[in-house]
Amino acid sequence: MCPRAPPHAHGQCGTLRLPIDWARPAGEKFDLAVARRKATDPDRRIGVLMVNPGGPGDSGVDFAVRRAKTHFSAEVQEKFDIVGFDPRGVGASHPVKCSKELLEQRPSAYPRDQAEFGQLAEYNRALRKDCRRHTGPVFDHADTLSVVRDMDAVRRSLGEQKINYFGHSYGTLLGEQYAEEYGDRIRTMALTANIDHSLGARDFLVSSAATAEDSLHQFAKWCDRTSSCALHGRDVTAVWDGLLARADRGEIRDPENPDQALTANAIALFAFKKFYGPDRDGLATYVAELDAQDPPDAQRPRAEPPSRTAPQQTVAEPFQAAFCQDWRFRPKSHKEFARLTEAELRAAPHMRGSPRVHAGVAACIGWPDEVNNPQHRLRITEAPKILMLHSMHDPANHFSWATHVHRQTRGTTVLLPYEGDGHSVYNRSGCTRDAVDDYLTERKTPSPGSSCAPAAEN
């Protein structure tokens, strides 16, 4: 059994001792956490299905132990040992840790001038130094290419000649780069909500913003035609814009902490996360409740800020260690970053960009120019047919990312568009689920040009 597993969870957990730096395999080591749910019908077992749910920073161990049973169909669970691992720097695999006090001092990701840009860069350098001090050398080797080497070490430790792989969102980058490095060691590979690792900073920010904006428009259209929507009969975009304007003036309070004001960015980030499902009813109710708040003079006075956390307290913070080592995003001045931000806002005037992606790029300002795993066009030469699925209205990963990856790997990949909304794809409909299941079990790919229709609206 796995430690801290919920009741009735089934899984085997262990660790694999691996080099921190694969260029120095005899050097320092760390323990990679691995979990396996064995195939429920051993007589029909095909092999291992390695999984990664994305992030960067999500736990593959948690996915295998807690979520695989409800995520994958019974057929997939019957035929595959589902193997998850926590990527280096994540979860139980020597997590990246940073001072909580310093994290709470993070400046705005929207500097107004060169002085504020310089303060952001200085903060990022201080945070990077702090995280390296609390984490050790794993921090400098948290990139995806290093994780890919770890994946192949897991394969070897399991005694498997070939793996099957299911990767979602950032987990698709692991799959893409594994296929580049070890394509002949793949039986099947299914990728959903794909990452295009060839994008520069401008295209990355603008396409992320455009797809977040598209999700807001899809939400507004749904409210217009759905009587159960809490905003039905109103101009949803106007309500949204008005709400963000009030938040800019400090007039909107956090329902869970009424002493604190909600920023427009926090509201946009909440909506962004609701688009993932999508949970349109939940978002509509939230926006309607915020919009109905009393004027600020009827609000409770703002409380004094809480006292600072003790400097020695640390929290896990793996995202930036991986992200800034995978992408060469290093704006050098306020002028350069402002141009990127302006382009982002033009692509998403109502969502004001993509909150999470903008914050991710801003957090790399001030980092060293050297990147362990810089962007490049995919070069896959030895892999079998790889199945890609992608929502046409994904709120985070623009559909063009999937088409770009498909063009780069046309002889190797098969792209099946899902014509609906949301970030998750596998369980969106019977069509998407059956396509993945048929591929994993029978190596059967969809016909070229086919797609999956949208699921019934929620």
Side-chain angles (χ1 to χ4, degrees), residues 205-215 217 344 347-348 353-354 394-395 398:
L205 280 167
V206 170
S207 60
S208 297
T211 204
E213 183 83 354
D214 172 67
S215 288
H217 290 313
E344 182 187 0
S354 177
D394 187 311
H398 199 285

Side-chain angles (χ1 to χ4, degrees), residues 237-308:
T237 304
V239 172
W240 173 262
D241 289 344
L243 180 63
L244 296 195
R246 289 175 62 194
D248 289 336
R249 298 191 295 268
E251 298 174 3
I252 302 298
R253 300 289 167 175
D254 185 345
E256 295 183 1
N257 188 2
D259 292 331
Q260 299 298 316
L262 272 179
T263 65
N265 189 263
I267 296 170
L269 182 60
F270 182 93
F272 179 73
K273 292 177 179 178
K274 286 294 184 181
F275 294 150
Y276 268 47
D279 178 10
R280 298 188 182 108
D281 278 319
L283 176 57
T285 300
Y286 180 77
V287 170
E289 289 175 352
L290 293 184
D291 184 62
Q293 284 188 8
D294 292 330
D297 59 354
Q299 298 284 351
R300 295 167 58 186
R302 183 179 299 194
E304 291 297 317
S307 59
R308 288 185 174 180

Side-chain angles (χ1 to χ4, degrees), residues 64-136:
V65 172
R66 298 170 183 262
R67 295 160 54 194
K69 186 173 182 180
T70 55
H71 183 84
F72 289 115
S73 67
E75 182 180 21
V76 167
Q77 295 180 60
E78 287 170 359
K79 295 182 177 181
F80 295 97
D81 294 347
I82 298 173
V83 176
F85 64 97
D86 286 351
R88 52 175 59 212
V90 174
S93 294
H94 198 105
V96 170
K97 290 188 175 181
C98 311
S99 296
K100 186 176 181 182
E101 180 185 30
L102 189 56
L103 286 168
E104 290 173 347
Q105 298 170 15
R106 191 187 300 274
S108 171
Y110 298 86
R112 293 169 294 184
D113 51 34
Q114 183 60 35
E116 289 189 0
F117 180 88
Q119 291 166 6
L120 176 59
E122 185 59 35
Y123 171 82
N124 288 341
R125 285 190 286 267
L127 180 62
R128 179 176 178 271
K129 182 179 179 180
D130 174 87
C131 300
R132 292 179 79 208
R133 178 169 62 87
H134 287 294
T135 305

Side-chain angles (χ1 to χ4, degrees), residues 18-25 88 141 145-146 149-150 153 156:
L18 296 176
I20 289 174
D21 182 357
W22 278 102
R24 299 173 55 250
R88 52 175 59 212
H141 300 277
L145 194 55
S146 294
R149 311 275 192 240
D150 299 342
R156 293 194 304 271

